Amino acid sequence: MTSEQQRLSAVALSGRVLGALFYHAPNHPDCASLLGMLSAPEWVKEWPVQAPELAEIASMMAAGLADSDTSVGEEYQRLFIGPYALPAPPWGSVYLDKENVLFGDSMLELRQWMRAQGFAPQTEQNEPEDHFGLMLMLAAWLADQGQQPQLDELLAWHLLPWADRYLNLFTENAANDFYRGLGLLARMTLSGWQQGMLMPVARKELHF
């Protein structure tokens, strides 16, 4: 297996896992088996992006799953649904558009790019396509299809310019260690994804 094949395989696996955890509620069928896996530390050996802090992140996430004071279900509601203002909105246009709006210009650019590639994600509701979890799952799909140029375009232009800001806010505001660890895991993993990219990450002004 070449280094590029290894990279695509890593993106495909980690993107599916992280995308599901950022997009779906903990009680969603796609998350139940993942939470079971993440409750034990052995998964770190199989994680496709390795880093020294991975074991500590795994312990943090396991502790969060066992936390009875702030359950993962309650924390998902607070971080992703509301009813109050979300401390770290998971949509790219909140960060990239001056008005901090959903369905902003940056989201429309992403939608146009997706149409030009001939694909679109299947969302469960009428939601902007620039949701962080959806974009991770799209990256995983592109990697699984071996579409390296399109994967790099998605990452360099549409996701990575705002992902670090979002993950910093997400991690700082998470009250449950599972989601705090998830933010750290995503940031570490995206850093690994960047290795081997054929284009630099676009520099875009952030407004949130």
Side-chain angles (χ1 to χ4, degrees):
M1 182 179 291
T2 67
S3 59
E4 184 52 41
Q5 289 173 324
Q6 290 174 336
R7 174 177 175 255
L8 292 175
S9 178
V11 173
L13 174 59
S14 54
R16 280 195 299 269
V17 172
L18 293 173
L21 294 173
F22 273 96
Y23 186 65
H24 296 302
N27 61 357
H28 189 279
D30 288 354
C31 288
S33 60
L34 294 178
L35 295 182
M37 176 193 75
L38 294 168
S39 64
E42 286 77 17
W43 64 269
V44 301
K45 300 175 185 177
E46 305 298 328
W47 193 249
V49 179
Q50 292 288 312
E53 65 268 28
L54 188 54
E56 183 177 351
I57 290 173
S59 297
M60 182 183 298
M61 295 175 74
L65 289 172
D67 187 355
S68 60
D69 293 329
T70 306
S71 72
V72 290
E74 293 170 336
E75 190 63 353
Y76 176 87
Q77 181 77 24
R78 188 181 71 86
L79 289 170
F80 292 98
I81 307 298
Y84 304 109
L86 304 185
W91 301 279
S93 61
V94 173
Y95 303 87
L96 296 174
D97 287 34
K98 291 182 180 179
E99 294 81 10
N100 311 124
V101 293
L102 301 184
F103 295 99
D105 289 343
S106 62
M107 195 286 296
L108 297 177
E109 289 176 7
L110 171 64
R111 179 178 291 176
Q112 183 178 17
W113 177 83
M114 292 169 65
R115 287 175 177 169
Q117 310 306 317
F119 53 76
Q122 298 297 314
T123 61
E124 296 179 351
Q125 50 208 353
N126 183 23
E127 183 173 37
E129 290 93 329
D130 60 348
H131 186 289
F132 185 72
L134 282 177
M135 295 184 74
L136 293 179
M137 288 189 276
L138 175 56
W141 183 84
L142 290 170
D144 209 33
Q145 299 297 311
Q147 299 189 33
Q148 179 195 344
Q150 292 88 342
L151 171 64
D152 286 352
E153 287 179 15
L154 176 71
L155 296 178
W157 190 255
H158 297 287
L159 177 60
L160 294 178
W162 63 275
D164 210 46
R165 173 61 176 160
Y166 164 65
L167 290 172
N168 285 341
L169 285 174
F170 181 86
T171 304
E172 290 169 3
N173 286 279
N176 179 286
D177 274 348
F178 173 78
Y179 282 110
R180 190 175 296 119
L182 180 63
L184 294 172
L185 179 64
R187 188 166 59 191
M188 182 207 83
T189 302
L190 288 182
S191 178
W193 286 9
Q194 286 186 248
Q195 299 179 19
M197 279 180 58
L198 300 179
M199 61 183 65
V201 176
R203 293 191 177 187
K204 299 188 177 184
E205 185 177 358
L206 301 181
H207 303 280
F208 189 90

